[in-house]
Amino acid sequence: MENLIALLVAAPLLGAVVLLCGGRRLDKTGHWIGTLFAAVSFGVGVALFADMLGRGAEDRTLHQFLFSWIPVEGFQADIAFQLDQLSMTFVLLISGVGTLIHVYSIGYMEHDERRRRFFGYLNLFVAAMLLLVVADNYLLLYFGWEGVGLASYLLIGFWQHKPSAATAAKKAFLVNRVGDIGLSIAIMLMFTTFGTFAFGPVLGSVGAETSVAAAPVSEGTLTAIGLMLLLAACGKSAQVPLQSWLGDAMEGPTPVSALIHAATMVTAGVYLIVRSGAIFNGAPDAQLVVTVVGAVTLLFGAIVGCAKDDIKKALAGSTMSQIGYMILAAGLGPIGYVFAIMHLVTHGFFKAGLFLGAGSVMHGMNDEVDMRKYGGLRKYMPVTFVTFGLGYLAIIGFPGLSGFFSKDMIIEAAFAKGGTQGWILGGVTLLGAGITAFYMTRVMILTFFGEKRWQPTATGAVQQDGTTARAVSGHEPAASQHGSGEMPHPHESPKSMTVPMVVLAFGSVFAGGFFSIGDRFVNWLEPVTGYAHGSPPVSALTVTAATMVVLAAGVAIAWSMYGRRPVPVVAPRGSVLTRAARRDLYQDDFNHAVLVRGGEHLTRSLVYVDHSLVDGVVNGTAAGVGGLSGRLRKLQNGYARSYAVSMFGGTAILIAATLLMRAV
Amino acid sequence: MNPVNYLYLAALLFTIGAAGVLIRKNAIVLFMCVELMLNACNLAFVAFSRMHGNLDGQIIAFFTMVVAAAEVVVGLAIIVSLFRTRHSASVDDASLMKL
Amino acid sequence: MSTIAAAATSLTSTGEAVQFWILGTVAVIGALATILMKKAVHSALSLAGTMIILAVFYLANGAYFLGVVQIVVYTGAIMMLFLFVVMLVGVTAADSLTETIKGQRWLAALCGLGFGILLIAGIGNAGITHFNGLGRVNSGGHVEGLAQLIFTKYVFAFELTGALLITAAVGAMVLTHRERTERAATQRELADRRVRDGVQLPPLPAPGVYARHNAVDVPGLLPDGTPSELTVNQTLRARGQIRDVSGQALDDLKALEQASSERLGREEASK
């Protein structure tokens, strides 16, 4: 059975190769091929899952050794896979949601002439992401890590004719590089400390408090590795301070936003931290930093999400915030790992569903993304409304739905951290839940309720924010049919788009309950991540009640602000906080001021030093040698008599030396 | 008179010959100056022979003459062929390794 | 020989001293003349004189064989070879004493002076006081003594010099020999080429043909009175030894007029 693990990765990889190398002759069938390979991967995943369920909790970890990648004395890197319960969870999420989104993309990208390429990239992403989660050593994980970064870059910049998309892709790539450096340093540190990258030896030796080298690994080293891993996680999962790329990444096609920038890739950081749990368990300082990063990002993303009028950017802020929850939970240690993953899975369902719903809305609204120009869409797009609504209820944690269980667990675990830290973290998560309720209600109201605030499409093709420039690529038939200045005619999306939304809505509703009843998910993951039951200082029921109160308050505030009175089409100026949040809390300005300006100044000063000092030395040496050579060249004039003078003078000096030696 | 004066004379002639090599441009004259230097050496050898009271110095001088004769033959042949190609006996004209 | 034998001390006879000072002075003058004379022929002659004096010194030092060889081989053969080459090469601009290399003369003077002073200081420093003289070794006959050394102790060197001489002779021939790589042009071809080039169709004019002089160094005059360089031998032209007589006739006329006017003036005065 373990020989099938390679197939998980190989199938979508083969799909990517076929689609990207196949050329135009696959334009007609490319999307089916891509979907088929993703589905094969999902099928293999399900088979493996069924097999895994049939075994005892202790034998559920499978290994597959493919070949030795870098067989060097003292440096052994293998292409080998490890499939345990944690990896299995991810495999099912990635291949399952991935397959659904492949199906959705068939409809969504129908009119894009580069659809085959899009599916190739999607397959490449699925392959890289699966490689990331089934790798049995950090080096191979890094390979997958870079692979998803590449796929993310390609897909964000898929509409490369839009300068904003191209820039966003570059930005995502560059910011991710910072995190990748953290991961590479962490791997180097691991190698110097443990002499290997494989999960088993590295994590096992930390857990056993005695390393392979028989000397206990110092807490300082573990903290350093942990912080570097956290940096990597920050880059990939858009956590503060490397969060700035996620909002811009919404320039990519909506299925990409759903799959990569909501459900799977951005959660790779959470996977990394949970996978390396043994290291973090041994480094409490690093864990503390992880929780702080999670808490800050949680609020940051939530606040940004409140102010955005662009539906995808509001959802992106929400994603950032929800991943902040997961990171926070992962930072709590064994009491949080399981819930981080559980929230990750449920979030994968409802956030992917929400994004697909947003894509469906945009599909019906001539690619309009400004929520202030939606309104009253529930009658026109009933399926989208229902699935989006279920996703909405799930994310705000409406009792009984997925988000309720997973988020509530995290809030409890945060309180259970104990002491002042516990109160602060608990308070933050509670506040975050309230804000989540607020901004999601806002999205819901602005989109589906209230008056119709539809605006005629400016010219179909040329719109200032560039969102409808997609029509240029032939993607959007509505725009070209309606022509310029026509009102949008919202309509329900085709079956290929609504079916995945329905499936994901089911997940949004039932996944949390299914996982929580009887502690199924805890029992499932405990052998891998470990689990310690954390008891909050107040009873769990009180926490849940408090969450409900905060939730209700958030919904109520949003309703009072957006539901009771008409919403202006042009956004009002708003308060200082709103303006700041609209600008992503000045993250880009901060980066520009500190990094770009600083970098420019550093570069200028380096250029100056280079010109004056380095070039000075080099040019001076060159000039000196040149000048000396010029002088010496005069000696080499070709005249035999000049040489004779030299010889004669030399003889005279020799005689003088001889006489001197005799005299001495 | 002390016979060492012959050595002083030899040194003087040798120096004059060397100076001639340095300041003359005509290859033939230059060659003559070399001969002068060789002769100065011979004089010194002869004087040393007298000083030591054996004939080895004279033998060396004799060999020097033979070698000088051979050298003159080859050297003059070189000068002649040089003159043929460059139409000049000046050593300064032959300052490049090409015509 | 008895003089030398007696002089087995550190001092020479008065006669030899007188001879040394006189001839030594002449030898130094000859050497200086060798390097300072403008013409190669003069240099060669000066050098020959110096070499003869050196031969005398060899004789005075008891090297009779070498002295004779010096005169016969060096002065007689080698210097004649030099003169021969001087004639062959002819006179060129190389004879100019003007220095073309910057600083060469100063450096040469500096090195020469330093070298001479050091050499002489070295000899003086050596503290040579005692001269054994050759009386004992010449007792069995001077030439016999030399021969014994050459054919016993130095026989290999002697044989090698033989090889060296042969090599030098062959080398000199190889160096000066020119292989004719193309067929010599016939008279007809030469005439054709001259017509083709059109430089000088008729034979070159003989010297003095259009002039009043018939010496070989006097160029013939063209119809307009200017001298024609073509009429003078190439070697004389190269040496700049052309005697220009183009103004001669006018000068003669002027002198004639002056003389006649003087005579007329004198006649008038006498009247």
Side-chain angles (χ1 to χ4, degrees):
Chain A
M1 210 58 199
E2 63 263 21
N3 292 334
L4 284 175
I5 301 175
L7 195 57
L8 283 174
V9 182
L13 189 64
L14 182 66
V17 171
V18 167
L19 289 174
L20 293 179
C21 301
R24 298 218 166 270
R25 73 187 73 112
L26 293 179
D27 274 352
K28 293 266 181 281
T29 52
H31 46 287
W32 293 115
I33 294 175
T35 312
L36 175 71
F37 279 112
V40 165
S41 196
F42 180 59
V44 172
V46 169
L48 284 166
F49 179 60
D51 176 65
M52 190 179 278
L53 284 179
R55 271 184 301 217
E58 297 307 313
D59 329 316
R60 283 182 174 173
T61 304
L62 297 178
H63 288 277
Q64 184 185 8
F65 174 83
L66 222 55
F67 58 90
S68 195
W69 183 13
I70 309 174
V72 177
E73 180 73 29
F75 184 99
Q76 197 72 28
D78 296 331
I79 301 287
F81 304 122
Q82 171 183 325
L83 188 71
D84 55 13
Q85 290 93 322
L86 180 61
S87 300
M88 195 69 237
T89 312
F90 272 90
V91 165
L92 290 177
L93 178 71
I94 295 160
S95 57
V97 176
T99 307
L100 286 177
I101 284 172
H102 272 77
V103 173
Y104 179 88
S105 302
I106 293 173
Y108 190 82
M109 301 297 283
E110 192 175 355
H111 302 284
D112 196 309
E113 59 193 20
R114 294 163 72 233
R115 179 164 64 164
R116 171 184 57 84
R117 188 183 295 260
F118 179 80
F119 275 84
Y121 291 159
L122 272 189
N123 269 355
L124 178 66
F125 167 76
V126 172
M129 190 71 203
L130 286 170
L131 179 65
L132 197 163
V133 295
V134 299
D136 95 322
N137 60 62
Y138 279 99
L139 204 63
L140 196 57
L141 180 147
Y142 188 63
F143 191 22
W145 188 271
E146 294 293 344
V148 294
L150 168 70
S152 163
Y153 167 80
L154 292 170
L155 286 166
I156 294 172
F158 185 72
W159 286 317
Q160 59 213 21
H161 51 82
K162 283 197 297 181
S164 56
T167 312
K170 274 188 272 184
K171 184 177 181 182
F173 200 76
L174 282 177
V175 175
N176 266 301
R177 296 311 304 167
V178 180
D180 296 346
I181 288 172
L183 184 53
S184 61
I185 292 176
I187 291 174
M188 291 174 207
L189 278 173
M190 278 176 208
F191 185 73
T192 41
T193 312
F194 304 106
T196 176
F197 321 105
F199 286 151
V202 171
L203 302 174
S205 59
V206 176
E209 291 296 326
T210 47
S211 75
V212 180
V217 180
S218 76
E219 194 184 312
T221 313
L222 289 179
T223 308
I225 295 176
L227 289 178
M228 284 301 125
L229 290 173
L230 174 63
L231 181 63
C234 283
K236 200 56 93 190
S237 297
Q239 300 296 295
V240 175
L242 299 178
Q243 80 290 3
S244 63
W245 64 273
L246 187 60
D248 292 338
M250 296 302 132
E251 288 290 343
T254 306
V256 171
S257 307
L259 176 60
I260 301 185
H261 304 122
T264 55
M265 186 190 87
V266 285
T267 58
V270 182
Y271 171 76
L272 185 67
I273 289 177
V274 173
R275 174 58 81 191
S276 313
I279 291 172
F280 284 96
N281 289 345
D285 294 340
Q287 271 185 325
L288 181 64
V289 179
V290 173
T291 52
V292 170
V293 165
V296 170
T297 312
L298 188 167
L299 291 179
F300 188 104
I303 293 169
V304 169
C306 291
K308 290 287 182 186
D309 289 331
D310 180 328
I311 185 168
K312 283 178 73 180
K313 293 208 167 159
L315 289 177
S318 159
T319 303
M320 209 184 282
S321 172
Q322 298 304 316
I323 296 170
Y325 271 106
M326 299 169 209
I327 295 277
L328 190 150
L332 293 174
I335 57 172
Y337 291 142
V338 174
F339 303 123
I341 299 299
M342 188 162 125
H343 192 56
L344 192 155
V345 175
T346 56
H347 174 257
F349 283 119
F350 57 69
K351 186 52 67 64
L354 287 170
F355 263 109
L356 295 190
S360 177
V361 169
M362 286 158 59
H363 195 76
M365 292 291 288
N366 291 2
D367 281 326
E368 180 60 66
V369 291
D370 191 345
M371 290 187 290
R372 290 182 184 276
K373 297 174 184 167
Y374 290 167
L377 286 175
R378 64 183 185 280
K379 291 182 200 131
Y380 299 90
M381 309 176 87
V383 181
T384 306
F385 168 62
V386 171
T387 54
F388 196 93
L390 288 172
Y392 153 73
L393 290 177
I395 193 173
I396 64 171
F398 192 79
L401 272 67
S402 289
F404 167 76
F405 294 103
S406 54
K407 196 185 287 180
D408 203 45
M409 294 297 185
I410 291 178
I411 296 172
E412 278 179 34
F415 277 112
K417 171 87 173 167
T420 324
Q421 277 181 29
W423 284 106
I424 293 174
L425 294 175
V428 167
T429 50
L430 211 51
L431 181 60
I435 304 177
T436 305
F438 172 79
Y439 66 71
M440 283 314 298
T441 310
R442 175 174 174 269
V443 170
M444 199 67 197
I445 292 171
L446 286 178
T447 307
F448 291 103
F449 295 94
E451 298 296 313
K452 297 181 206 168
R453 297 180 301 277
W454 309 342
Q455 301 291 311
T457 317
T459 52
V462 184
Q463 189 158 327
Q464 205 56 41
D465 59 2
T467 44
T468 41
R470 269 196 276 166
V472 173
S473 65
H475 157 67
E476 185 49 67
S480 49
Q481 280 164 15
H482 297 320
S484 65
E486 295 245 350
M487 291 298 283
H489 293 269
H491 52 83
E492 192 52 82
S493 299
K495 278 278 184 330
S496 66
M497 289 168 71
T498 50
V499 169
M501 285 154 64
V502 171
V503 174
L504 287 171
F506 266 99
S508 311
V509 174
F510 298 114
F514 177 76
F515 290 156
S516 294
I517 294 165
D519 283 345
R520 281 204 189 107
F521 203 76
V522 172
N523 295 334
W524 163 252
L525 272 188
E526 196 205 338
V528 181
T529 60
Y531 175 67
H533 182 70
S535 311
V538 289
S539 76
L541 215 59
T542 319
V543 173
T544 310
T547 312
M548 286 305 113
V549 171
V550 173
L551 192 157
V555 173
I557 294 171
W559 177 254
S560 69
M561 282 177 73
Y562 298 100
R564 290 199 313 172
R565 42 179 191 240
V567 178
V569 173
V570 178
R573 189 153 176 274
S575 65
V576 177
L577 186 62
T578 314
R579 289 202 302 274
R582 274 192 200 129
R583 300 204 57 178
D584 298 326
L585 295 178
Y586 301 118
Q587 58 185 15
D588 286 336
D589 305 77
F590 176 82
N591 285 350
H592 189 76
V594 175
L595 299 176
V596 178
R597 289 272 168 73
E600 278 176 0
H601 283 296
L602 182 68
T603 314
R604 283 209 195 105
S605 52
L606 283 179
V607 165
Y608 176 75
V609 170
D610 184 50
H611 278 180
S612 56
L613 190 69
V614 179
D615 286 5
V617 170
V618 171
N619 292 342
T621 311
V625 171
L628 194 64
S629 311
R631 304 261 152 78
L632 284 175
R633 195 168 59 86
K634 296 240 171 67
L635 295 180
Q636 197 81 11
N637 53 11
Y639 292 119
R641 294 190 296 138
S642 288
Y643 304 156
V645 168
S646 313
M647 287 170 62
F648 197 45
T651 320
I653 291 169
L654 272 180
I655 293 175
T658 314
L659 288 179
L660 266 177
M661 292 307 289
R662 281 170 59 94
V664 168
Chain B
M1 187 197 77
N2 192 327
V4 80
N5 284 339
Y6 285 112
L7 294 178
Y8 288 126
L9 179 65
L12 200 55
L13 292 180
F14 186 91
T15 309
I16 291 171
V21 170
L22 299 185
I23 63 174
R24 291 307 296 258
K25 279 183 288 189
N26 189 332
I28 302 169
V29 179
L30 205 140
F31 219 47
M32 288 180 204
C33 294
V34 173
E35 292 303 316
L36 182 60
M37 290 162 76
L38 284 170
N39 271 286
C41 291
N42 280 353
L43 180 59
F45 276 125
V46 171
F48 283 134
S49 169
R50 181 179 182 185
M51 183 178 110
H52 291 295
N54 62 31
L55 293 173
D56 292 46
Q58 292 186 20
I59 301 285
I60 298 292
F62 173 71
F63 283 134
T64 308
M65 281 183 189
V66 177
V67 173
E71 174 224 341
V72 163
V73 169
V74 176
L76 286 177
I78 290 173
I79 288 171
V80 167
S81 58
L82 199 70
F83 182 78
R84 271 189 195 155
T85 52
R86 292 177 191 268
H87 302 288
S88 160
S90 168
V91 288
D92 286 359
D93 287 349
S95 65
L96 298 174
M97 296 181 86
K98 59 179 184 182
L99 278 176
Chain C
M1 183 170 281
S2 60
T3 323
I4 302 300
T9 58
S10 38
L11 283 180
T12 59
S13 65
T14 318
E16 195 188 344
V18 171
Q19 174 195 291
F20 176 81
W21 289 118
I22 294 172
L23 291 183
T25 312
V26 175
V28 171
I29 291 170
L32 286 174
T34 305
I35 69 166
L36 294 178
M37 279 293 175
K38 193 176 173 196
K39 292 194 172 168
V41 180
H42 298 165
S43 290
L45 289 176
S46 312
L47 185 63
T50 305
M51 283 181 173
I52 291 172
I53 291 169
L54 287 182
V56 174
F57 284 156
Y58 292 170
L59 294 174
N61 276 312
Y64 306 120
F65 181 72
L66 275 186
V68 174
V69 168
Q70 172 86 358
I71 289 173
V72 173
V73 174
Y74 246 117
T75 323
I78 294 182
M79 287 319 297
M80 292 315 111
L81 197 60
F82 267 105
L83 284 174
F84 181 70
V85 172
V86 168
M87 282 164 58
L88 194 70
V89 166
V91 182
T92 63
D95 281 354
S96 156
L97 277 176
T98 51
E99 188 53 65
T100 48
I101 306 175
K102 201 176 140 199
Q104 171 79 4
R105 194 158 280 183
W106 288 107
L107 277 172
L110 188 71
C111 289
L113 263 179
F115 186 84
I117 289 169
L118 283 168
L119 210 54
I120 288 168
I123 295 167
N125 197 26
I128 303 164
T129 49
H130 194 73
F131 275 73
N132 288 325
L134 292 166
R136 191 171 48 78
V137 293
N138 276 352
S139 57
H142 174 65
V143 177
E144 286 86 343
L146 277 179
Q148 198 169 16
L149 273 177
I150 286 174
F151 292 114
T152 56
K153 192 177 175 184
Y154 295 103
V155 68
F156 282 115
F158 184 71
E159 296 292 345
L160 278 177
T161 53
L164 179 69
L165 281 172
I166 289 179
T167 313
V170 173
M173 282 194 285
V174 168
L175 277 170
T176 51
H177 178 70
R178 264 200 303 197
E179 191 84 36
R180 183 178 281 281
T181 53
E182 54 196 10
R183 189 174 52 82
T186 59
Q187 290 276 327
R188 170 171 289 279
E189 285 167 343
L190 286 174
D192 286 349
R193 188 194 299 164
R194 215 154 65 175
V195 173
R196 200 166 51 240
D197 295 347
V199 177
Q200 176 74 34
L201 279 180
L204 290 171
V209 168
Y210 306 111
R212 301 176 179 185
H213 294 258
N214 57 3
V216 288
D217 61 341
V218 177
L221 294 181
L222 295 172
D224 59 348
T226 51
S228 165
E229 299 249 313
L230 280 177
T231 57
V232 181
N233 182 293
Q234 196 176 357
T235 309
L236 291 178
R237 260 187 273 154
R239 287 183 188 166
Q241 287 176 332
I242 300 174
R243 195 141 58 92
D244 185 9
V245 293
S246 56
Q248 192 85 44
L250 293 174
D251 290 345
D252 287 354
L253 198 63
K254 205 176 280 172
L256 197 65
E257 280 175 353
Q258 196 176 359
S260 60
S261 66
E262 275 175 9
R263 167 176 279 178
L264 287 173
R266 203 163 51 234
E267 279 174 359
E268 284 192 7
S270 65
K271 281 176 187 169

PDB file of all heavy atoms in Angstrom, chain A residues 73 167 355 393 476 489 493 506 509:
ATOM      1  N   GLU A  73      28.836  11.132   1.286  1.00  0.00           N
ATOM      2  CA  GLU A  73      29.275  10.729   2.616  1.00  0.00           C
ATOM      3  C   GLU A  73      28.973  11.857   3.602  1.00  0.00           C
ATOM      4  O   GLU A  73      29.399  12.985   3.415  1.00  0.00           O
ATOM      5  CB  GLU A  73      30.779  10.441   2.586  1.00  0.00           C
ATOM      6  CG  GLU A  73      31.370  10.019   3.911  1.00  0.00           C
ATOM      7  CD  GLU A  73      30.956   8.606   4.284  1.00  0.00           C
ATOM      8  OE1 GLU A  73      30.728   7.813   3.376  1.00  0.00           O
ATOM      9  OE2 GLU A  73      30.871   8.337   5.494  1.00  0.00           O
ATOM     10  N   THR A 167       2.864  42.512 -11.055  1.00  0.00           N
ATOM     11  CA  THR A 167       3.523  43.069  -9.872  1.00  0.00           C
ATOM     12  C   THR A 167       3.179  42.257  -8.634  1.00  0.00           C
ATOM     13  O   THR A 167       4.050  41.975  -7.801  1.00  0.00           O
ATOM     14  CB  THR A 167       3.070  44.522  -9.667  1.00  0.00           C
ATOM     15  OG1 THR A 167       3.177  45.189 -10.912  1.00  0.00           O
ATOM     16  CG2 THR A 167       3.929  45.208  -8.638  1.00  0.00           C
ATOM     17  N   PHE A 355     -14.703  31.695  -1.269  1.00  0.00           N
ATOM     18  CA  PHE A 355     -14.024  32.256  -2.443  1.00  0.00           C
ATOM     19  C   PHE A 355     -14.717  31.835  -3.724  1.00  0.00           C
ATOM     20  O   PHE A 355     -14.887  32.640  -4.647  1.00  0.00           O
ATOM     21  CB  PHE A 355     -12.556  31.818  -2.472  1.00  0.00           C
ATOM     22  CG  PHE A 355     -11.631  32.848  -1.888  1.00  0.00           C
ATOM     23  CD1 PHE A 355     -11.009  32.633  -0.676  1.00  0.00           C
ATOM     24  CD2 PHE A 355     -11.394  34.040  -2.557  1.00  0.00           C
ATOM     25  CE1 PHE A 355     -10.167  33.573  -0.146  1.00  0.00           C
ATOM     26  CE2 PHE A 355     -10.555  34.988  -2.019  1.00  0.00           C
ATOM     27  CZ  PHE A 355      -9.936  34.755  -0.809  1.00  0.00           C
ATOM     28  N   LEU A 393     -21.899  31.406   7.798  1.00  0.00           N
ATOM     29  CA  LEU A 393     -22.276  30.951   9.142  1.00  0.00           C
ATOM     30  C   LEU A 393     -21.156  30.097   9.746  1.00  0.00           C
ATOM     31  O   LEU A 393     -20.885  30.158  10.949  1.00  0.00           O
ATOM     32  CB  LEU A 393     -23.576  30.148   9.075  1.00  0.00           C
ATOM     33  CG  LEU A 393     -24.813  30.989   8.744  1.00  0.00           C
ATOM     34  CD1 LEU A 393     -26.031  30.088   8.622  1.00  0.00           C
ATOM     35  CD2 LEU A 393     -25.043  32.065   9.796  1.00  0.00           C
ATOM     36  N   GLU A 476     -14.441  36.703 -20.121  1.00  0.00           N
ATOM     37  CA  GLU A 476     -15.783  37.019 -19.660  1.00  0.00           C
ATOM     38  C   GLU A 476     -16.718  37.309 -20.825  1.00  0.00           C
ATOM     39  O   GLU A 476     -16.605  38.339 -21.482  1.00  0.00           O
ATOM     40  CB  GLU A 476     -15.713  38.238 -18.731  1.00  0.00           C
ATOM     41  CG  GLU A 476     -17.019  38.601 -18.103  1.00  0.00           C
ATOM     42  CD  GLU A 476     -17.683  37.390 -17.479  1.00  0.00           C
ATOM     43  OE1 GLU A 476     -17.155  36.864 -16.489  1.00  0.00           O
ATOM     44  OE2 GLU A 476     -18.740  36.978 -17.995  1.00  0.00           O
ATOM     45  N   HIS A 489     -26.136  41.714 -15.735  1.00  0.00           N
ATOM     46  CA  HIS A 489     -27.302  40.854 -15.590  1.00  0.00           C
ATOM     47  C   HIS A 489     -26.919  39.644 -14.769  1.00  0.00           C
ATOM     48  O   HIS A 489     -26.488  38.631 -15.317  1.00  0.00           O
ATOM     49  CB  HIS A 489     -27.815  40.397 -16.974  1.00  0.00           C
ATOM     50  CG  HIS A 489     -28.367  41.530 -17.782  1.00  0.00           C
ATOM     51  ND1 HIS A 489     -29.692  41.892 -17.763  1.00  0.00           N
ATOM     52  CD2 HIS A 489     -27.757  42.390 -18.614  1.00  0.00           C
ATOM     53  CE1 HIS A 489     -29.884  42.938 -18.549  1.00  0.00           C
ATOM     54  NE2 HIS A 489     -28.710  43.266 -19.083  1.00  0.00           N
ATOM     55  N   SER A 493     -24.423  30.694 -11.846  1.00  0.00           N
ATOM     56  CA  SER A 493     -23.289  30.136 -12.584  1.00  0.00           C
ATOM     57  C   SER A 493     -23.619  28.740 -13.071  1.00  0.00           C
ATOM     58  O   SER A 493     -24.555  28.101 -12.576  1.00  0.00           O
ATOM     59  CB  SER A 493     -22.073  30.092 -11.669  1.00  0.00           C
ATOM     60  OG  SER A 493     -21.762  31.396 -11.270  1.00  0.00           O
ATOM     61  N   PHE A 506     -21.331  21.597   2.115  1.00  0.00           N
ATOM     62  CA  PHE A 506     -21.569  20.432   2.990  1.00  0.00           C
ATOM     63  C   PHE A 506     -20.437  20.312   3.989  1.00  0.00           C
ATOM     64  O   PHE A 506     -20.649  20.120   5.194  1.00  0.00           O
ATOM     65  CB  PHE A 506     -21.659  19.153   2.146  1.00  0.00           C
ATOM     66  CG  PHE A 506     -23.072  18.804   1.792  1.00  0.00           C
ATOM     67  CD1 PHE A 506     -23.611  19.121   0.550  1.00  0.00           C
ATOM     68  CD2 PHE A 506     -23.870  18.160   2.735  1.00  0.00           C
ATOM     69  CE1 PHE A 506     -24.906  18.814   0.232  1.00  0.00           C
ATOM     70  CE2 PHE A 506     -25.170  17.851   2.415  1.00  0.00           C
ATOM     71  CZ  PHE A 506     -25.699  18.176   1.168  1.00  0.00           C
ATOM     72  N   VAL A 509     -20.575  22.810   6.700  1.00  0.00           N
ATOM     73  CA  VAL A 509     -21.609  22.601   7.702  1.00  0.00           C
ATOM     74  C   VAL A 509     -21.252  21.455   8.629  1.00  0.00           C
ATOM     75  O   VAL A 509     -21.311  21.585   9.851  1.00  0.00           O
ATOM     76  CB  VAL A 509     -22.964  22.331   7.012  1.00  0.00           C
ATOM     77  CG1 VAL A 509     -24.029  21.963   8.049  1.00  0.00           C
ATOM     78  CG2 VAL A 509     -23.377  23.542   6.202  1.00  0.00           C
TER      79      VAL A 509
END
